[in-house]
Amino acid sequence: MSETSYEPNIVAFCCMHCAYAAADLAGSSRLQYPPFMKIIALPCTGRTDLGHLLRAFEDGADGVLVAGCLEGRCHYQVGNLYAKQRVNRIADLLKQIGLAPERVRMINISAGMGAKFAELANEFARDIQALGPTGLRKAAAGDAANAA
Amino acid sequence: MIVAEQKSLDEIRSLLRGKRKVLAVGCGTCVAVCFAGGKREVGVLASALRMAGQLDGSPVEVDELTVQRQCEAEYIEALKDKLADYDAVLSLGCGVGVQTIAEHYDGATVLPALNTKFMGGPTEQGVWLERCQGCGACLLDYTGGICPISRCPKQLQNGPCGGTDAGGRCEVDATMPCAWHLIWEKMDKLHRQDELLEVRPPKDWSTSRDGGVRRIVRDDLRKPKLESGA
Ligand code: SF4
Ligand code: SF4
């Protein structure tokens, strides 16, 4: 399988106060970030729970990014710190399941950091591309990519 | 509450070896509030089991069901028509829940996903501490509401062992306060320290586990029986 042709499924849970706005800024500044990254806006990354993160993998994500405010700058004080703890827990669980813990990552950025968002999103996408598919992508009709 | 902890995924998977279709059953009471076996934990565990199985070529179908209380027959009625479809029930209840399901559904293989740890409560978010061992003859009146049976590793009844450190920490586990130090301080606040100077006779442990399996019978609550021929 050639890495370049492989298009991973990446879900990015983004806090609407920071990362979601930063993604928007990246877009309007015409900065490229992976088009296959599916962004889900949350009121705060503290809204994520273990179930959300894990189900994303079960439903076919090859990587899950959680993007929250800079530490100390969460609109709800510590929502992003809770998210970080959960990301760590999921990384641990992924290992037990038989998946690379690097498939889940937390990043912290502010609303003004459009370029940084694009940079970190691209970096994550490259890492996931290097890891390849999880092998869990639902064998939907016509989805032959997974057979590899 | 009863406080429990999930077994490792590896251990749970080895309990389920060879099972193709499993019903994971959560409990909405004690183990839900200590985040070990409620609806959410059932969801996460079921998802993890399905993924792990798919990845190592031993796929397992795991369905999810959470009842309000696993330890009472009425609440597990919900399982009745379902069990025939499954190779095993994976209970995320405490040990009582597991046993209640096993007792009521004779033919079912019921496996425990949790280790039931103790009776206790949260002391801060994410931390649970043992607070009662169900000794059957509560003496919290004498100790200012602090239990030396569950909180002193030696279960002392008449003051500390002598190993308490200068900071009031227990000699067995320096991360824990000495229960008797806490009791002494508390009774000082209550101006009742003199009560602690009375020597207590040895505790009668026959009300505890030493007396065998315990049972409570409340005649006023039992189902009345009609006298035959009446
Ligand atoms: S004295 Fe006995 S019943 Fe009372 S809290 Fe301690 S262990 Fe429980
Ligand atoms: S230090 Fe206190 S709590 Fe620890 S064993 Fe001695 S009396 Fe019990």
Side-chain angles (χ1 to χ4, degrees), chain A residues 24-112:
Chain A
D24 208 29
L25 180 60
S28 52
S29 317
R30 295 174 174 272
L31 294 163
Q32 278 287 334
Y33 64 86
F36 45 77
M37 184 174 272
K38 297 177 183 68
I39 294 192
I40 296 173
L42 296 176
C44 171
T45 50
R47 177 63 187 90
T48 52
D49 74 20
L50 301 179
H52 293 141
L53 300 175
L54 207 59
R55 285 287 162 105
F57 286 103
E58 191 178 10
D59 289 344
D62 300 308
V64 172
L65 189 66
V66 178
C69 299
L70 298 172
E71 292 190 5
R73 296 290 179 81
C74 170
H75 284 241
Y76 307 98
Q77 313 255 356
V78 291
N80 54 352
L81 300 182
Y82 276 118
K84 179 175 154 184
Q85 291 171 186
R86 291 176 199 141
V87 164
N88 290 340
R89 170 116 186 177
I90 288 296
D92 197 55
L93 195 53
L94 288 181
K95 228 184 302 174
Q96 297 176 48
I97 290 170
L99 289 173
E102 295 79 18
R103 289 185 183 275
V104 63
R105 182 177 299 170
M106 173 101 199
I107 61 170
N108 301 87
I109 47 171
S110 74

Side-chain angles (χ1 to χ4, degrees), chain A residues 54-55 58 82 96 134 136, chain B residues 9 43 47 50 55 64 125:
Chain A
L54 207 59
R55 285 287 162 105
E58 191 178 10
Y82 276 118
Q96 297 176 48
T134 58
L136 288 167
Chain B
L9 191 65
S47 179
R50 288 189 296 259
L55 286 169
E64 306 165 25
Q125 206 171 299

Side-chain angles (χ1 to χ4, degrees), chain B residues 148 151-156 159-165 168-173 176-181:
Chain B
R151 300 181 67 184
C152 164
K154 298 171 191 163
Q155 306 185 316
L156 296 181
C161 64
T164 319
D165 75 12
R169 308 258 120 201
C170 172
E171 73 164 354
V172 175
D173 178 352
M176 293 280 184
C178 162
W180 274 102
H181 175 77

Side-chain angles (χ1 to χ4, degrees), chain B residues 131-136 138-140 147 149:
Chain B
R131 282 290 160 88
C132 175
Q133 290 196 357
C135 75
C138 193
L139 45 74
L140 288 174
C147 172
I149 309 300

Side-chain angles (χ1 to χ4, degrees), chain B residues 208-216:
Chain B
S208 184
R209 280 291 304 156
D210 307 43
V213 179
R214 293 171 287 176
R215 169 167 58 185
I216 293 173

